[in-house]
Amino acid sequence: MDSTGIHAALRGRFDTAVGELAPGPFEPSIEVDASAIEAVCTFLRDEEGLEFDNLSNLSGADYPDLERIQAVYSLFSYKQRHSITLRVNADRAAPVIPTVEAVWPAANWLEREIFDLLGVEFSGHCDLRRILLPEDWVGYPLRKDYEEQPDYHGISTVRESLLTMKKD
Amino acid sequence: MSVELEVHNSQGLPTEEMTLNMGPQHPSTHGVLRFIVKADGEVMRRAIPDIGYLHRSIEKIAEKVGWHGFMPYTDRVDYVAAMACNQGWAMAAEQLADIEVPRRGEYCRVIAAELSRICSHLLGVGAMGMDMGAITPFTHAIRERDMIMDLIEELCGARLTFNYMRIGGVAWDLPHGFVEKVSHYLDHLEPVIEEFNQLLGFNRIYVKRLADVATVDADMAIAWGLVGPNLRGSGVDFDVRRDLPYSVYEDFDFDVPLGSGEMGSIGDSWDRYIVRMREMVESIRILRQALAGIPEGPVIARVARNFKPPVGDVHVKIEAPRGEQSWYVSSDGSEYPHRVHIRTGSFTAMGIIDRLSHGLMIADLVAVIASMDIVAPEVDR
């Protein structure tokens, strides 16, 4: 099914919780309300003819000017061989998006990665911990206003300071 | 997170669950990985992966070094098969800026990428044998791999971190006599793969060690996002090169090997092994066609030094040796990428291990890691 058909099916079921089909310069995408994402994903997975059985990628990006963090879901169907991109915007001050872990287990780690690097809280996630960074790391590195902590457990994170470090 | 499970031994008496630490420095973990193993004797209740020991914040670096400058960093994403990462990044930037790569450039890419795939699979299956206790096949695999390294060194001057591709094409044309050398090497390699299978793959001990171990059925593989040889090992007929063709893969005729449960059940560790072996044969087929059909012409398109693609984001999928690599690249129209995200094959393969480990023997955890061909730097980036 092409993206117009997928969008029509979603619109028919979820009405305004699903935004317009954005043709985009590269690939069509659909904006979805954060509150509806789990229901939308379940529908996309289970509906006859759609059958998106695979969450191929889940990325996130920070847009400080727009005061939001956007999660981008790239879905693929091995049965139907079609794909669609969903976008979910979250408030940058307190980003919360419901988890889709129950729909595709692959989301477990992908959501943890976004939590780790961008600080999006995936509500309902069974095990939302940092995944790549140490558990006691401060801040979310892929946010545009991130400032690295000057040291971590006494280890400097700044190269210049190695030259000026005192020998105790 | 700690889950206390009630444990009873075979007589129904309560025993104590043992927590073991495996890694981060462990010879079978192919890099720096750590598992927290909850075991009842030799049988695992869970193996919880703890990753991030090789995290080099490559995605953050991309936002600081600019479009052209990021190319050498992509080598480090998966240094066992750097060509694939080069290609993913170049393709993402090209799609954003709508650049068409000259056909000779695309052929050079395919030749480099397929050589790199054979290289990576050789290391993968060789190390797999070693993890199962067969040391000698590893030396055979490394011997063959070294010859490819020599060829690639002639091509781009590096043996591991190639930095061969550029946005718009490749850095250098094939050197003089390269086509003949590669053809000659392929003639040498084809019987070696068969020999390797006789030595290791169909060896009775090896088969017994891997058949029916850590079976992943097709639905589970898809839901957990397994990709590439791990997905095809479970019998899912999908290859990005054939089904969502990119570059010039449409020009070539090749088969997609699938796991069929020859030695046990579909999707077991042995199936994942044999898919890799047969993929090497297919790579040889692709290479022969590419070498025969390579057109004349330039190898790189004209690309501005001050490269600024228009605003937008793309998803690019390529078939890397460790499976579909999915690049999400977003541009805000400046000379630095706004966001780069790489979903690698090893990342999702690592994610499934917790689920797979229930009821396996501790020694089989090594088989799972090896058969999934997990490479730690690709998990952590």
Side-chain angles (χ1 to χ4, degrees):
Chain A
M1 199 182 283
D2 64 353
S3 48
T4 331
I6 295 167
H7 180 251
L10 278 176
R11 255 293 161 83
R13 176 72 187 267
F14 292 99
D15 200 24
T16 51
V18 175
E20 292 298 324
L21 180 72
F26 305 106
E27 56 191 9
S29 64
I30 301 170
E31 203 180 303
V32 177
D33 278 356
S35 55
I37 184 70
E38 199 187 349
V40 166
C41 288
T42 313
F43 173 75
L44 284 172
R45 183 193 63 181
D46 296 337
E47 184 70 7
E48 189 83 20
L50 295 173
E51 292 163 287
F52 283 96
D53 45 14
N54 177 250
L55 175 66
S56 146
N57 197 357
L58 173 54
S59 309
D62 183 20
Y63 295 91
D65 304 341
L66 303 168
E67 284 294 320
R68 70 185 184 205
I69 290 179
Q70 188 175 65
V72 185
Y73 298 70
S74 172
L75 314 183
F76 185 73
S77 169
Y78 282 99
K79 289 198 188 85
Q80 303 286 345
R81 298 286 157 100
H82 56 203
S83 58
I84 192 74
T85 303
L86 304 180
R87 294 171 194 276
V88 175
N89 292 319
D91 178 22
R92 195 166 180 275
V96 181
I97 298 174
T99 178
V100 294
E101 190 197 357
V103 189
W104 303 287
N108 186 324
W109 274 34
L110 292 166
E111 285 176 350
R112 272 179 73 187
E113 190 187 335
I114 294 181
F115 166 74
D116 190 1
L117 301 177
L118 280 159
V120 177
E121 196 196 323
F122 287 91
S123 55
H125 193 287
C126 73
D127 183 24
L128 200 63
R129 292 176 294 137
R130 283 192 183 271
I131 186 165
L132 295 173
L133 300 175
E135 302 234 330
D136 52 356
W137 195 261
V138 180
Y140 303 108
L142 286 181
R143 290 213 185 174
K144 292 292 174 188
D145 55 0
Y146 170 72
E147 276 181 33
E148 199 175 16
Q149 56 201 65
D151 66 279
Y152 175 71
H153 290 290
I155 307 163
S156 170
T157 59
V158 189
R159 187 173 286 167
E160 285 77 20
S161 69
L162 286 170
L163 303 169
T164 53
M165 256 196 320
K166 283 178 192 160
K167 287 176 189 161
D168 299 319
Chain B
M1 183 188 59
S2 81
V3 179
E4 289 306 319
L5 297 155
E6 205 173 313
V7 178
H8 297 279
N9 70 2
S10 52
Q11 276 85 44
L13 298 169
T15 70
E16 214 169 288
E17 186 182 87
M18 187 165 46
T19 305
L20 285 174
N21 185 52
M22 184 168 164
Q25 303 293 341
H26 191 280
S28 76
T29 52
H30 301 206
V32 210
L33 297 173
R34 177 169 168 245
F35 291 89
I36 301 154
V37 179
K38 309 251 181 206
D40 170 22
E42 279 291 309
V43 179
M44 287 190 292
R45 300 265 159 181
R46 283 188 79 178
I48 304 161
D50 179 18
I51 64 169
Y53 288 92
L54 268 169
H55 181 56
R56 291 141 297 158
S57 54
I58 283 179
E59 290 165 7
K60 182 76 178 174
I61 290 171
E63 295 173 16
K64 303 280 179 190
V65 295
W67 296 91
H68 290 302
F70 186 53
M71 190 57 83
Y73 288 96
T74 62
D75 291 334
R76 276 83 180 166
V77 172
D78 175 4
Y79 47 62
V80 183
M83 286 296 182
C85 307
N86 275 194
Q87 196 174 9
W89 172 243
M91 277 172 52
E94 284 152 12
Q95 279 196 20
L96 278 166
D98 195 18
I99 294 167
E100 195 178 333
V101 180
R103 278 189 71 77
R104 190 175 171 86
E106 291 282 21
Y107 269 76
C108 289
R109 279 185 180 179
V110 167
I111 291 168
E114 294 302 322
L115 280 174
S116 189
R117 185 186 316 277
I118 296 176
C119 212
S120 164
H121 281 355
L122 277 172
L123 187 69
V125 293
M128 192 170 169
M130 193 163 71
D131 289 345
M132 299 299 101
I135 308 286
T136 315
F138 180 70
T139 61
H140 289 227
I142 287 293
R143 180 192 66 206
E144 299 309 318
R145 180 173 178 263
D146 208 62
M147 294 177 198
I148 303 185
M149 294 289 209
D150 289 340
L151 288 171
I152 294 182
E153 190 179 7
E154 257 185 60
L155 186 65
C156 62
R159 295 172 68 86
L160 196 70
T161 49
F162 307 129
N163 189 20
Y164 176 57
M165 297 184 195
R166 296 287 182 275
I167 296 169
V170 295
W172 297 281
D173 202 345
L174 304 181
H176 182 67
F178 189 75
V179 172
E180 292 74 31
K181 276 184 191 166
V182 175
S183 310
H184 184 68
Y185 172 73
L186 295 179
D187 294 339
H188 157 80
L189 181 66
E190 209 162 13
V192 170
I193 291 175
E194 192 46 43
E195 184 190 294
F196 193 84
N197 260 337
Q198 294 303 328
L199 178 68
L200 180 71
F202 295 101
N203 181 308
R204 205 175 145 74
I205 303 168
Y206 188 70
V207 171
K208 285 232 159 191
R209 187 74 179 74
L210 293 175
D212 287 322
V213 168
T215 307
V216 184
D217 63 35
D219 289 340
M220 185 176 166
I222 289 172
W224 281 85
L226 287 191
V227 286
N230 299 335
L231 181 72
R232 292 191 282 275
S234 298
V236 180
D237 191 8
F238 183 80
D239 187 313
V240 184
R241 290 173 295 173
R242 186 196 64 194
D243 297 313
L244 306 167
Y246 57 96
S247 193
V248 285
Y249 279 107
E250 271 173 313
D251 295 2
F252 308 125
D253 175 34
F254 61 99
D255 294 323
V256 177
L258 300 177
S260 59
E262 276 164 73
M263 297 294 167
S265 41
I266 295 182
D268 62 7
S269 297
W270 194 84
D271 272 352
R272 291 191 281 272
Y273 160 83
I274 202 68
V275 162
R276 287 200 172 77
M277 293 304 290
R278 289 177 182 154
E279 251 180 41
M280 281 197 267
V281 180
E282 296 306 319
S283 285
I284 293 175
R285 269 177 78 187
I286 295 174
L287 273 168
R288 285 220 173 97
Q289 293 170 54
L291 291 170
I294 186 164
E296 290 300 320
V299 292
I300 186 161
R302 289 181 70 87
V303 177
R305 185 161 290 190
N306 186 13
F307 184 72
K308 286 182 186 172
V311 182
D313 52 1
V314 281
H315 267 119
V316 169
K317 289 178 177 183
I318 60 155
E319 185 72 32
R322 256 157 290 285
E324 175 195 304
Q325 214 171 50
S326 183
W327 289 71
Y328 172 75
V329 180
S330 147
S331 163
D332 55 3
S334 75
E335 52 205 295
Y336 300 100
H338 174 252
R339 170 81 163 107
V340 177
H341 180 230
I342 316 158
R343 208 279 287 110
T344 58
S346 296
F347 186 80
T348 43
M350 199 63 188
I352 200 174
I353 286 186
D354 190 358
R355 167 75 181 71
L356 271 184
S357 58
H358 300 246
L360 283 182
M361 307 285 278
I362 291 177
D364 288 343
L365 180 60
V366 179
V368 178
I369 303 168
S371 73
M372 295 271 182
D373 199 10
I374 288 170
V375 171
E378 209 200 18
V379 181
D380 294 345
R381 286 154 286 139

